Amino acid sequence: MTEPKKLKVATCSLAGCFGCHMSLLDIDEKLFELVKVVEFDRSPITDIKHCGPCDIGIVEGGVCNAENVHVLKEFRKNCRVLVATGACAITGGIPAWRNNVDLWDCFQEVYHYGIGLENGQIPNDPELPLPFDKVHPIGEVVRVDHFLPGCPPPADAIWKFLTDLAAGREPKLEYEMLHYD
Amino acid sequence: MPEQDVCDLPGIVARWQHDPANLVQILREVQESCGTIPSDALDRLAQLLGVPRVRIESTASFYAFFHAESHGAYEILFSDNIVDRMAGKEALKQYFCERLWLEPRKLSEDGLVYVDDTADIGLADQAPALLVNGYAIPSLDKARLDLVAELIRARKPLADWPPMLFEIPDNVRKPGPLMGEAFAPGAALKATLARGADATLAELDAANLRGRGGAGFKTATKWASCRKAEGEAHYVVCNADEGEPGTFKDRVLLASHADLVFEGMTVCARAIGARRGFLYLRGEYRNLHEKLKSVLAARREQGLLGRNILGEDGFDFDIEIHLGAGAYICGEESALIESLEGKPGKPRNRPPFPDRRGYRDQPTVVNNVETFACAAKIAEKGGAWFAALGTPQSAGTKLVSVSGDCKRPGVYEYPFGASVRQILIDCGAEDAHAVQVSGPSGTCISFREFDRRIAFEDLATAGAFMVFSRERDMFEVARNFTHFFAHESCGFCTPCRVGTSLLKNTMDKLAAGKGSAYDMHEMKHIMHILRSMAHCGLGHTAANPVVQTMEKFPDAYERRLKRLDFEPAFDLDGALQTARLITGRDDAWAHLANE
Ligand SMILES: Cc1cc2nc3c(=O)[nH]c(=O)nc-3n(C[C@H](O)[C@H](O)[C@H](O)COP(=O)(O)O)c2cc1C
Ligand code: SF4
Ligand code: SF4
């Protein structure tokens, strides 16, 4: 008997805190079941640097700089289904709080006036990702197929979501899994 | 400039009986006499009223007309309905700002004047229009704005401005039984007293009067249920919030037929056993306030209000006027009651409806201005007379506020059943291509549907009738309305607070030429969420303009779509420009292709 083909999954963290990834790992022993049906492509878990064609792309975090756009576009190009995972990917989340602060003021505070700084200089190395003036939800940059809410989404919700997709079902989360207050 | 110490907080609070329920009125007077509601005034008010500061603050921060920072000696707010825009509002506003060397939403350097937009101010028949320190000036053109600019430069107190600037004609184009017939104050009350409360309700029932504020609930049923409901006191509330863009018929009723409206409220008081009534007048109608107070005073003189009305022992009733402060949502009856109680205007859970639990949780009738005017007429002339007008399901006449692309904008009174085509002929709108019936929350109809009729069974309406000619871009009409709803959402429930903003942002994205089929699909999705999940009528209807224009004028959308698949919401490369300037970088990694 041949094994059913495994789903290829890629994950990345853009302007996020890795909390969503931690929540994915929080499915604990179910991870063993998960790897029976999925195989990870590019992901902080595998350390693969670029992703090939995938079934599911899980994106944590919003878009705050030029590099984020490159990664996100790579995901969109290669992933059949793209999932905005967590508040930051869906709305910009906590990093988007800086949207109320002028970018000049941000840089000044960090590199010129911050406590303990002397003769601070604003770095201009091309290797550094260049920030946008605002942080954006990923849905403003590429088409998104699913939104998985939460900060982070609970491990059970991620599990239910992925197993639904793996089984070829439209993912459906019960109210309890989406309800936070 | 108004001085800080002009603000007599203890005096204002005393005038409103030290009652926190009157907080909106108290804040309104503070705002009006000080020009702002400064932070330390909130502390003082909390002390004087004996309530926590957060209660004061939550109310003060809810209403658009309250603000903590100074808007100078002259605050100018341009009405921003689509009809104002069609009449040249944007260019006139720019002209005005240039004349006074200022930018919108920025206090002038000498602290003298501040210019901004506000939602429709109930003058669509005399667009464009503005409010200066809360007082309306209609029919703007360059000459009138020149005059306003001069008066401001000369620092003339508003009281000394030429009265002709503030003259607001009624523009009644087609009077009927409500607006065309003389009414002798007291006539309806005498008939009511002769008939008795039960028989009055029976007349109202026979008249088949339905509410004129939009929902069309049967008035006799509401009154009877309120009368039956148990409580310590019963209240009558007249909803004169008239915030639906394009509606202005209540303005005209109150300006010229206030006796009819107050008499209708008094008839209601008799029928349900109320001793107190309120007229909740939208803040934009500030200019009617003094006049209405004098009508009330005259009615007290004539024994039509106060104790033992018309000599009837124990028939005591009086009416207070409460002014709103720039919140469309306060037209929703339960939000209105919250506002009357001094709170932010957030809709309550319904049921219970106000007829059982309204003002101070007591049985309360809330009706539209026009509904009370009809009720007075019915009390005077009988239910059969009224029922004979209109159609079987929609008795009586309807006041229609006509504006937009027509020769004779104004108020028209039609028996229910009048066709859209008839109204268009009467108002001189040969080129009409579309009509927005009942405002943004109502129905957009295209030229294919002009045989439809104004009636509860076909086109239900609260009265707005905005006409658009062939040259108008219906996409821009809908976009203006999405801005309106996003601004007016009270923020209580997430589907509407977020959904209205998403709709607005998506329409702006399309307007910027960045739309795709994906966005169209998303907007339909948002509509479903709003309709099924929003807490009140505002959210339920907020997507109507987009969905209806999409359906009826698809071209207006399709020519704006850039791609079929997807298009980013912002200029990716442009959004890096600030950081490029800060860092001085211009390498390949400091750019993004906008493909
Ligand atoms: C968002 C919203 C705004 C409303 N605005 C008004 C208004 O300005 N005037 C009005 O009479 N009714 C308005 N209504 C309807 C009222 O809630 C209520 O149905 C009406 O005042 C009842 O009076 P009626 O039966 O005489 O129509 C509004 C409803 C909603 C949901
Ligand atoms: S959604 Fe929450 S957990 Fe996930 S990246 Fe953002 S802040 Fe972290
Ligand atoms: S639907 Fe909108 S206006 Fe109504 S309660 Fe919710 S947020 Fe407020």
Side-chain angles (χ1 to χ4, degrees):
Chain A
M1 229 180 78
T2 53
E3 292 243 326
K5 204 172 150 292
K6 283 188 177 181
L7 279 182
K8 269 210 157 178
V9 177
T11 77
C12 65
S13 176
L14 307 178
C17 75
F18 275 94
C20 291
H21 274 85
M22 296 309 289
S23 194
L24 168 66
L25 297 179
D26 246 0
I27 59 177
D28 298 333
E29 75 284 356
K30 294 199 196 100
L31 268 173
F32 294 109
E33 270 177 69
L34 188 65
V35 291
K36 281 189 208 151
V37 287
V38 311
E39 179 187 340
F40 284 96
D41 192 307
R42 172 179 177 158
S43 164
I45 304 171
T46 59
D47 217 21
I48 298 173
K49 299 297 184 212
H50 288 283
C51 77
C54 283
D55 297 291
I56 303 172
I58 293 181
V59 180
E60 163 192 318
V63 178
C64 78
N65 61 34
E67 190 207 11
N68 292 160
V69 172
H70 292 297
V71 177
L72 188 56
K73 288 199 165 168
E74 181 179 309
F75 267 64
R76 180 67 275 179
K77 208 163 101 204
N78 286 293
C79 304
R80 210 162 38 81
V81 174
L82 196 68
V83 187
T85 307
C88 298
I90 296 174
T91 68
I94 291 178
W97 286 5
R98 83 152 156 92
N99 290 0
N100 297 319
V101 183
D102 187 72
L103 197 58
W104 278 97
D105 296 342
C106 268
F107 270 85
Q108 299 252 351
E109 186 61 32
V110 172
Y111 294 111
H112 285 156
Y113 303 138
I115 296 169
L117 281 181
E118 257 174 66
N119 298 327
Q121 282 187 354
I122 290 174
N124 58 2
D125 191 326
E127 285 211 342
L128 295 173
L130 197 65
F132 283 126
D133 47 10
K134 298 252 152 67
V135 179
H136 294 265
I138 68 168
E140 289 189 4
V141 179
V142 296
R143 181 169 50 77
V144 173
D145 302 298
H146 292 284
F147 297 87
L148 183 55
C151 180
D156 288 343
I158 299 179
W159 168 250
K160 173 76 168 49
F161 192 87
L162 284 177
T163 45
D164 276 353
L165 275 181
R169 287 189 295 265
E170 179 72 14
K172 190 162 173 21
L173 297 182
E174 295 310 315
Y175 181 64
E176 286 67 33
M177 286 194 189
L178 296 167
H179 182 74
Y180 296 102
D181 49 6
Chain B
M1 288 234 359
E3 295 283 327
Q4 206 71 311
D5 54 35
V6 177
C7 209
D8 168 25
L9 295 182
I12 293 173
V13 170
R15 256 205 303 291
W16 290 98
Q17 302 93 37
H18 291 91
D19 186 349
N22 292 328
L23 183 57
V24 176
Q25 303 313 302
I26 292 169
L27 289 170
R28 227 195 46 73
E29 287 196 14
V30 174
Q31 174 78 61
E32 196 166 291
S33 53
C34 320
T36 70
I37 304 180
S39 177
D40 52 348
L42 300 181
D43 290 321
R44 276 291 280 145
L45 287 175
Q47 277 168 7
L48 289 164
L49 290 165
V51 296
R53 182 189 149 110
V54 282
R55 246 209 80 190
I56 313 274
E57 199 163 356
S58 69
T59 299
S61 60
F62 182 82
Y63 295 87
F65 288 176
F66 298 158
H67 40 84
E69 63 299 336
S70 169
H71 285 185
Y74 302 96
E75 181 201 52
I76 307 274
L77 300 177
F78 282 85
S79 176
D80 192 30
N81 183 6
I82 185 70
V83 172
D84 295 292
R85 287 181 170 245
M86 282 157 40
K89 169 245 162 189
E90 279 298 288
L92 284 170
K93 179 176 152 197
Q94 201 185 342
Y95 172 80
F96 183 74
C97 287
E98 279 163 14
R99 281 220 49 163
L100 285 170
W101 292 88
L102 44 86
E103 270 178 62
R105 274 195 298 284
K106 240 184 165 171
L107 184 60
S108 64
E109 270 169 29
D110 50 6
L112 190 63
V113 51
Y114 177 91
V115 173
D116 198 0
D117 285 345
T118 188
D120 179 285
I121 61 173
L123 286 166
D125 57 333
Q126 298 161 56
L130 60 72
L131 297 173
V132 50
N133 294 353
Y135 288 84
I137 301 184
S139 305
L140 299 177
D141 55 21
K142 283 190 178 170
R144 281 163 76 81
L145 286 175
D146 285 342
L147 178 55
V148 171
E150 259 165 53
L151 291 161
I152 289 177
R153 272 217 210 91
R155 298 176 189 244
K156 255 218 165 136
L158 208 59
D160 300 337
W161 288 24
M164 64 92 172
L165 271 178
F166 301 96
E167 266 165 30
I168 295 177
D170 281 350
N171 287 338
V172 177
R173 309 283 182 179
K174 185 179 184 305
L178 277 191
M179 288 197 160
E181 292 173 11
F183 175 74
L189 271 177
K190 278 179 203 138
T192 303
L193 287 176
R195 219 182 256 131
D198 287 321
T200 300
L201 281 175
E203 285 300 322
L204 206 62
D205 188 41
N208 196 17
L209 172 63
R210 294 170 65 174
R212 301 311 199 221
F217 192 77
K218 194 164 168 181
T219 308
T221 311
K222 188 186 279 187
W223 290 18
S225 146
C226 180
R227 171 186 163 89
K228 263 213 317 275
E230 278 174 31
E232 291 152 20
H234 287 57
Y235 297 95
V236 181
V237 173
C238 177
N239 186 343
D241 198 54
E242 191 158 65
E244 192 71 43
T247 318
F248 47 82
K249 45 101 189 165
D250 293 343
R251 176 198 92 215
V252 176
L253 273 175
L254 291 169
S256 300
H257 307 273
D259 262 306
L260 197 59
V261 178
F262 290 141
E263 188 129 340
M265 291 175 71
T266 317
V267 169
C268 176
R270 181 66 177 169
I272 66 168
R275 297 163 58 91
R276 257 180 100 184
F278 296 93
L279 176 77
Y280 188 88
L281 183 67
R282 70 183 306 214
E284 290 81 348
Y285 291 169
R286 175 74 181 84
N287 56 333
L288 293 174
H289 193 200
E290 309 305 327
K291 187 166 169 189
L292 289 170
K293 279 199 288 194
S294 70
V295 174
L296 288 176
R299 289 182 70 83
R300 281 180 205 116
E301 292 270 295
Q302 296 157 31
L304 301 173
L305 278 179
R307 293 199 160 268
N308 303 326
I309 291 173
L310 286 175
E312 179 82 7
D313 227 16
F315 181 13
D316 304 339
F317 179 66
D318 213 324
I319 299 173
E320 287 165 44
I321 301 176
H322 276 222
L323 274 161
Y328 164 66
I329 190 59
C330 288
E332 195 281 337
E333 56 185 12
S334 65
L336 185 155
I337 289 169
E338 289 284 294
S339 183
L340 279 178
E341 292 180 359
K343 294 182 248 172
K346 295 187 181 168
R348 294 177 175 175
N349 284 333
R350 304 181 314 160
F353 290 94
D355 57 349
R356 287 179 44 226
R357 292 245 220 109
Y359 182 65
R360 296 181 194 260
D361 276 340
Q362 301 303 313
T364 304
V365 160
V366 183
N367 274 131
N368 175 253
V369 173
E370 187 181 345
T371 313
F372 280 120
C374 291
K377 276 287 178 187
I378 292 164
E380 184 195 6
K381 298 175 79 167
W385 162 80
F386 192 83
L389 298 164
T391 74
Q393 282 124 302
S394 312
T397 60
K398 182 76 195 86
L399 300 178
V400 181
S401 321
V402 178
S403 65
D405 291 315
C406 64
K407 295 200 187 78
R408 291 174 292 279
V411 179
Y412 292 70
E413 182 173 352
Y414 286 98
F416 272 109
S419 73
V420 170
R421 194 176 302 286
Q422 184 64 49
I423 301 176
L424 289 171
I425 292 170
D426 292 349
C427 73
E430 291 81 17
D431 287 340
H433 193 57
V435 181
Q436 186 74 28
V437 179
S438 202
S441 73
T443 318
C444 177
I445 62 167
S446 82
F447 55 93
R448 295 180 196 88
E449 305 166 88
F450 284 174
D451 288 319
R452 293 182 65 180
R453 288 167 190 284
I454 300 294
F456 291 108
E457 61 271 27
D458 187 355
L459 282 171
T461 177
F465 192 96
M466 294 184 264
V467 183
F468 304 101
S469 75
R470 224 170 296 280
E471 285 78 54
R472 303 296 175 190
D473 181 350
M474 294 310 288
F475 171 86
E476 280 302 327
V477 174
R479 188 162 81 96
N480 176 267
F481 294 163
T482 58
H483 280 248
F484 169 74
F485 284 122
H487 185 260
E488 297 300 331
S489 166
C490 83
F492 171 77
C493 69
T494 312
C496 169
R497 183 182 64 246
V498 178
T500 53
S501 282
L502 288 177
L503 275 180
K504 176 187 98 164
N505 293 348
T506 311
M507 290 296 275
D508 287 351
K509 182 180 173 194
L510 259 66
K514 292 177 169 293
S516 67
Y518 175 84
D519 297 305
M520 302 279 282
H521 181 263
E522 277 302 290
M523 288 202 287
K524 285 185 196 152
H525 184 60
I526 295 167
M527 172 207 74
H528 286 299
I529 294 177
L530 281 169
R531 285 211 183 136
S532 53
M533 310 286 276
H535 177 63
C536 84
L538 188 151
H540 294 151
T541 56
N544 285 3
V546 173
V547 174
Q548 292 171 356
T549 49
M550 243 193 234
E551 191 183 304
K552 294 177 186 183
F553 304 94
D555 294 356
Y557 286 79
E558 273 155 22
R559 64 193 164 78
R560 290 190 155 83
L561 302 186
K562 190 166 174 192
R563 276 161 210 256
L564 288 182
D565 179 38
F566 185 87
E567 189 60 27
F570 62 100
D571 171 1
L572 296 175
D573 190 56
L576 291 171
Q577 179 61 14
T578 319
R580 277 196 294 266
L581 287 174
I582 298 173
T583 57
R585 279 177 57 181
D586 199 22
D587 53 273
W589 289 97
H591 286 275
L592 279 169
N594 273 322
E595 69 333 320

